[in-house]
Amino acid sequence: MALNGKTALITGSTSGIGLAIAQGFAQQGINIILNGFGDPQEIEDIRKSLEINGNKITYSNADMTKPDEIVNMIQSAEQKFGAIDILVNNAGIQHVSPIEDFPPEKWDAIMAINLSSAFHTTRAAIGGMRKAGWGRIINMCSAHGLVASPYKAAYVAAKHGILGLTKTIALEVAQDNITCNAICPGYVRTPLVENQIADTAKARGISEEEVIRDVLLTAQWTKKFVTVEQISGIALFLCSDSAENITGIDLRVDGGWTAA
Ligand code: NAD
């Protein structure tokens, strides 16, 4: 199935992993609905830069903590493009803190953005995919969907949750030519991780260099960060015909972290 002319909605695609996935998809001529926060002019520049192969790129500023905005985003995308063929639930935030100091509002925000938004997008987009007779849902999980680290209660809980959602949806749509999978990256050096390096240094009382060496890359046996381009390539693979029978999995891209 050619991907050219298909339409993808990628939440949190103004930065980091989501942006790299958008760039990879744009190369294939896929129409894209970008989403996420940032400087309006920078987002407009990104939008224009992705219209490279006769594809159309639009942008929605829907806030992933707001179910109404999510439903509106899906409906207007369907009005413009027909179905959303590829849904990438990627928006995410992090907060690092010992449990006794963990702000309840951060817990709520992480649950809403990293977990519940994927429920709301999938719920709203699945009817269109069924009607189109083809679909791919990719949930951006994490090695933290499989194992824990201290001080990340909300993130680890949300990422474990999204794996459960992934498996459930995979079964529900298995006979509709729709797959649903989770990608579980180890550490990727995006703005989300840059902020974490500083926060972890504070929480553990160590330097940022020590955080990279002794916390982040300790778990990654390759001693290398995963790159955004690698995740983008894997997302494209999951959309390919070769991946038609891959559904309900956690695809680990973690340099051996969860093998240990
Ligand atoms: P990032 O900070 O570079 O990008 C996050 C994106 O989410 C941005 O576009 C941001 O605007 C958007 N976003 C945040 N809050 C939003 C909201 N309320 N509504 C809409 N959009 C919102 O982070 P990243 O590292 O590219 O992370 C992307 C995904 O990958 C996240 O789900 C993250 O948990 C996951 N992940 C990242 C790593 C890593 O090491 N960077 C590892 C594993 C998993």
Side-chain angles (χ1 to χ4, degrees):
M1 173 84 61
L3 294 175
N4 184 22
K6 294 225 175 283
T7 297
L9 174 88
I10 309 167
T11 69
S13 44
T14 53
S15 168
I17 293 172
L19 176 55
I21 292 175
Q23 286 163 337
F25 281 9
Q27 296 285 349
Q28 302 299 317
I30 298 173
N31 302 316
I32 298 165
I33 299 101
L34 295 167
N35 161 257
F37 299 148
D39 175 71
Q41 189 54 55
E42 276 174 31
I43 293 172
E44 176 54 15
D45 292 345
I46 290 172
R47 195 196 63 73
K48 277 201 214 125
S49 74
L50 295 178
E51 287 190 328
I52 42 180
N53 268 329
N55 55 346
K56 295 237 166 346
I57 312 290
T58 62
Y59 164 70
S60 161
N61 66 357
D63 182 339
M64 291 303 106
T65 65
K66 308 225 165 83
D68 290 356
E69 292 188 18
I70 294 173
V71 171
N72 286 340
M73 171 179 72
I74 303 279
Q75 284 174 348
S76 35
E78 286 180 340
Q79 271 160 19
K80 181 159 177 64
F81 293 108
I84 293 165
D85 304 296
I86 302 166
L87 171 63
V88 184
N89 291 306
N90 169 78
I93 59 166
Q94 174 63 286
H95 185 78
V96 180
S97 163
I99 187 70
E100 62 272 31
D101 301 325
F102 211 100
E105 58 279 13
K106 287 283 181 198
W107 169 276
D108 289 343
I110 289 175
M111 285 298 151
I113 298 166
N114 297 22
L115 176 58
S116 300
S117 73
F119 160 75
H120 294 296
T121 54
T122 304
R123 183 171 178 276
I126 205 79
M129 280 186 190
R130 277 205 173 104
K131 224 184 276 168
W134 189 92
R136 294 284 187 268
I137 303 169
I138 299 172
N139 292 328
M140 200 51 61
C141 187
S142 165
H144 282 121
L146 299 150
V147 295
S149 297
Y151 312 123
K152 295 181 180 173
Y155 189 86
V156 171
K159 293 299 186 185
H160 275 65
I162 206 157
L163 268 192
L165 179 67
T166 301
K167 290 189 263 189
T168 306
I169 303 301
L171 300 186
E172 289 189 29
V173 298
Q175 292 178 31
D176 299 323
N177 223 7
I178 302 170
T179 67
C180 179
N181 292 293
I183 299 177
C184 299
Y187 285 105
V188 191
R189 208 148 178 191
T190 64
L192 179 138
V193 163
E194 294 297 344
N195 295 337
Q196 234 182 106
I197 292 171
D199 291 348
T200 306
K202 215 184 288 166
R204 297 193 182 216
I206 56 178
S207 72
E208 296 195 2
E209 292 68 37
E210 286 169 317
V211 171
I212 292 172
R213 193 191 61 219
D214 300 337
V215 182
L216 304 191
L217 294 185
T218 297
Q220 247 154 260
W221 286 67
T222 52
K223 303 297 166 202
K224 287 181 190 158
F225 283 100
V226 178
T227 69
V228 293
E229 291 80 11
Q230 288 163 355
I231 303 295
S232 174
I234 287 160
L236 266 177
F237 164 69
L238 286 174
C239 295
S240 71
D241 288 342
S242 304
E244 188 181 274
N245 266 298
I246 298 177
T247 197
I249 68 157
D250 49 88
L251 204 166
R252 303 169 187 207
V253 195
D254 63 7
W257 177 349
T258 56

